[in-house]
Amino acid sequence: MAAVDLSTLGAGFSDLAIGSQTVFRAALHALSHPGRIVPVPHDAKTPAAAQPASAAILLALVDPDCKVWMSPTLAQSDAPSWLRFHTGCALINDHRLAQFLWVARGDPLPAFGELRQGSDADPDQGATVVIDVAGIDSTAAEGAWRLTGPGIQAVTRLSVDGLPAQFVEDWRRNHAAFPCGIDVFLACESDVVGLPRTTTIEAIASAALEA
Amino acid sequence: MSQQTIEVHPMPLTTPQESRVAEMSALDGEFNFAYLDERTKRMIRRALLKAVAIPGYQVPFGSREMPLPYGWGTGGIQVTASVIGPNDVLKVIDQGSDDTVNAVNIRRFFERTTAVRTTTATLEATLIQTRHRIPETPLQEGQVLIYQVPVPEPMQRLEPREAETRMLHGLAEYGLMHVKLYEDIARYGHIATTYDYPVLVNDRYIMSPSPIPKFDNPKMHMNPALQLFGAGREKRIYAVPPYTKVESLGFEDHPFEVQRWDAACALCGAEDSFLDEIVTDDAGGRMHVCSDSHYCETRQQAQAAISSPVEAP
């Protein structure tokens, strides 16, 4: 990594304790209610290449114990310097070893099967993937997902703009590996959606929606 | 834990003025917000997120020394300290009561280290830390119930080696637990486990619900509130997300059953709540009262309002 002018980096939370607690509660709420769009309030000045919500979540959760991998667009921006300056996390190039992965809008997703899955005895060692997307909507009918699982009373509807088409199939495999697997946060602007490995995603054909 | 144990208080008793002074100086910077340092809270928060993602699975965490001994709720306190924020309203109960020594002290600990608002009203609280009860009043979405857990491993008495029990959980090999319940039936004619009754979470993990009476087990099932469990000495955190299936173990011919009483609460007349039997004198006098003090008081106040209505002006 080239030397970075730290004076150009955006500020972190104005109050470290309250700022990270507030963002954590949003993340906890999102993961407890999969598919629900949860606002992430914060006052950090986040990198331009990233969605503010995903940057805030990583800023709130990681520390020097965490290995973080970033997708190419983020890795070439000021995001690595920003996150490392504020949290002291370890930045790594090998996505297979990362505890946290951060994928910029439009960057290809790493293959879920290559990421840390945990083991039968230690499934909590599975990775957490924070993905920036172009849009999340709980009301749109076109291409909607039907989510079920713990945290969802009956069914939650969600459509996501900016994920590859094979995401649903990749997710099905991830879910099938339970208790091993990865957990995902989808971030857009200042909102986040949690997808724990327990959630099942079913893509609804638009014809079925009209019926 | 009774009122008589107040002499062995884990924290010094102070006058209201003294405690206010302590609170101000604490918030002026003597302690970090919510006592724990930020890095510890982050570690616990990452464990909590994985616990929610794997319902019923015990996530190891680096439990810290707390200013009170193991067995007084160090796990629950560390979870609460990692979750709590300035806008939260905290309720702390011990065996259902807001007034017992453990509840009073933990509530004051968080008043001093976070200055959050505290309450005894179940529905006003955003966070409820509990020792051994689930409130009678049904919880709502957005509330977080934090249990103090002494023994997180439901099979510890059957298989003391932790490497083994982790593997049994990994393989979902729970025959041992069913044999234990069966042995109860063989010996007593019924399942004699009355508290810490094992549950199956989301059809996958067998989990200790902490030593709540089995009367409370059905409340865990599809509860709208998030349930978090902290075991400080054993260094484990686990969780049940909202709207999650929680099934108490049983057999077709010996299904799970909750306790029932012939008595009603002597104070409020409730027949649907968990009752404590209280010895009232040396002559064998006894009475049954609700263990949930807020539930009982609310009912008594409602009855008083009906029997002596305020006169219209």
Side-chain angles (χ1 to χ4, degrees):
Chain A
M1 197 192 308
V4 178
D5 181 3
L6 294 178
S7 66
T8 63
L9 292 179
F13 301 121
S14 60
D15 183 320
L16 182 64
I18 308 300
S20 44
Q21 184 273 339
T22 309
V23 172
F24 161 71
R25 276 294 276 277
L28 182 67
H29 194 69
L31 211 61
S32 305
H33 297 277
R36 192 176 291 187
I37 297 172
V38 177
V40 183
H42 69 93
D43 61 0
K45 194 167 171 298
T46 56
Q51 298 281 19
S54 61
I57 285 178
L58 287 159
L59 185 63
L61 291 180
V62 303
D63 66 12
D65 292 333
C66 300
K67 298 192 194 99
V68 181
W69 177 89
M70 295 189 196
S71 73
T73 305
L74 286 168
Q76 285 153 25
S77 73
D78 61 347
S81 317
W82 177 81
L83 191 64
R84 186 161 156 69
F85 175 74
H86 288 299
T87 68
C89 66
L91 300 169
I92 60 168
N93 294 323
D94 189 345
H95 59 277
R96 292 169 298 184
L97 301 177
Q99 284 145 313
F100 285 86
L101 298 96
W102 191 6
V103 183
R105 242 174 93 171
D107 275 0
L109 294 178
F112 289 169
E114 292 178 3
L115 306 181
R116 282 169 63 131
Q117 307 285 310
S119 62
D120 281 343
D122 299 287
D124 58 297
Q125 298 300 309
T128 303
V129 186
V130 185
I131 306 172
D132 285 356
V133 295
I136 38 182
D137 190 348
S138 55
T139 54
E142 279 296 314
W145 289 348
R146 214 173 154 273
L147 308 182
T148 49
I152 300 171
Q153 193 170 15
V155 173
T156 294
R157 282 274 174 84
L158 184 72
S159 24
V160 182
D161 182 14
L163 282 180
Q166 86 271 11
F167 181 87
V168 173
E169 173 59 20
D170 290 348
W171 187 260
R172 191 191 61 72
R173 281 198 200 139
N174 181 54
H175 173 75
F178 189 87
C180 298
I182 62 161
D183 308 302
V184 163
F185 287 103
L186 303 175
C188 178
E189 302 293 333
S190 58
D191 293 326
V192 71
V193 166
L195 292 177
R197 58 192 82 172
T198 47
T199 302
T200 55
I201 301 179
E202 190 189 332
I204 314 171
S206 43
L209 279 169
E210 285 155 18
Chain B
M1 204 172 293
S2 70
Q3 296 287 358
Q4 280 76 39
T5 59
I6 204 144
E7 288 82 16
V8 291
H9 231 268
M11 282 168 55
L13 286 164
T14 49
T15 65
Q17 281 88 358
E18 281 167 353
S19 99
R20 182 70 197 154
V21 169
E23 177 189 311
M24 296 306 290
S25 61
L27 295 175
D28 284 347
E30 201 174 306
F31 294 110
N32 188 27
F33 179 80
Y35 185 78
L36 292 175
D37 61 280
E38 286 307 304
R39 217 170 141 185
T40 296
K41 284 196 258 179
R42 277 171 194 237
M43 172 266 296
I44 294 175
R45 287 168 183 164
R46 292 193 298 264
L48 283 168
L49 291 176
K50 288 301 173 195
V52 169
I54 316 165
Y57 165 75
Q58 301 161 49
V59 183
F61 80 108
S63 179
R64 300 295 188 246
E65 289 240 7
M66 298 303 285
L68 77 174
Y70 288 138
W72 288 79
T74 52
I77 289 177
Q78 289 179 78
V79 172
T80 302
S82 306
V83 169
I84 199 166
N87 298 326
D88 278 313
V89 181
L90 178 70
K91 172 182 164 84
V92 185
I93 52 173
D94 169 10
Q95 297 276 16
S97 169
D98 297 279
D99 311 321
T100 46
V101 62
N102 196 221
V104 168
N105 279 297
I106 292 172
R107 188 159 62 235
R108 195 168 52 201
F109 174 81
F110 284 109
E111 282 169 356
R112 287 174 59 177
T113 56
T114 66
V116 298
R117 199 154 70 79
T118 54
T119 183
T120 57
T122 302
L123 289 181
E124 263 180 34
T126 55
L127 298 180
I128 303 173
Q129 181 170 333
T130 176
R131 175 178 175 272
H132 305 186
R133 273 311 309 277
I134 299 175
E136 305 289 358
T137 311
L139 302 179
Q140 293 180 344
E141 203 174 279
Q143 291 186 299
V144 182
L145 185 61
I146 298 161
Y147 297 75
Q148 303 170 200
V149 182
V151 180
E153 175 47 65
M155 295 180 287
Q156 196 196 50
R157 290 283 168 95
L158 310 169
E159 173 51 75
R161 290 168 300 178
E162 212 233 337
E164 281 296 312
T165 52
R166 286 187 87 74
M167 189 49 68
L168 293 176
H169 281 295
L171 303 172
E173 177 51 68
Y174 292 130
L176 209 53
M177 202 77 228
H178 285 100
V179 169
K180 183 206 174 253
L181 295 178
Y182 169 73
E183 283 182 353
D184 265 8
I185 296 168
R187 211 171 292 166
Y188 307 108
H190 62 277
I191 297 175
T193 307
T194 54
Y195 65 95
D196 209 350
Y197 191 103
V199 293
L200 183 66
V201 180
N202 190 31
D203 295 322
R204 177 58 181 79
Y205 279 100
I206 283 192
M207 183 188 94
S208 156
S210 84
I212 59 171
K214 65 179 176 179
F215 177 87
D216 282 341
N217 274 24
K219 296 177 192 167
M220 305 180 87
H221 177 65
M222 295 302 276
N223 196 312
L226 171 64
Q227 302 173 74
L228 304 175
F229 299 76
R233 178 177 41 215
E234 304 292 329
K235 302 174 175 56
R236 294 292 179 272
I237 282 170
Y238 51 102
V240 176
Y243 308 117
T244 298
K245 192 174 167 194
V246 179
E247 183 193 352
S248 302
L249 300 182
F251 299 101
E252 272 175 30
D253 51 344
H254 285 274
F256 169 77
E257 282 178 342
V258 299
Q259 295 103 320
R260 307 217 175 277
W261 290 264
D262 299 330
C265 172
L267 301 177
C268 76
E271 293 175 344
D272 58 350
S273 75
F274 186 81
L275 301 179
D276 286 336
E277 187 177 14
I278 294 178
V279 178
T280 52
D281 54 32
D282 290 342
R286 283 152 204 281
M287 63 195 267
H288 286 84
V289 296
C290 293
S291 111
D292 185 334
S293 59
H294 175 253
Y295 181 74
C296 196
E297 280 160 20
T298 313
R299 283 177 51 88
Q300 288 177 58
Q301 282 161 10
Q303 287 159 6
I306 293 167
S307 59
S308 60
V310 181
E311 281 178 34

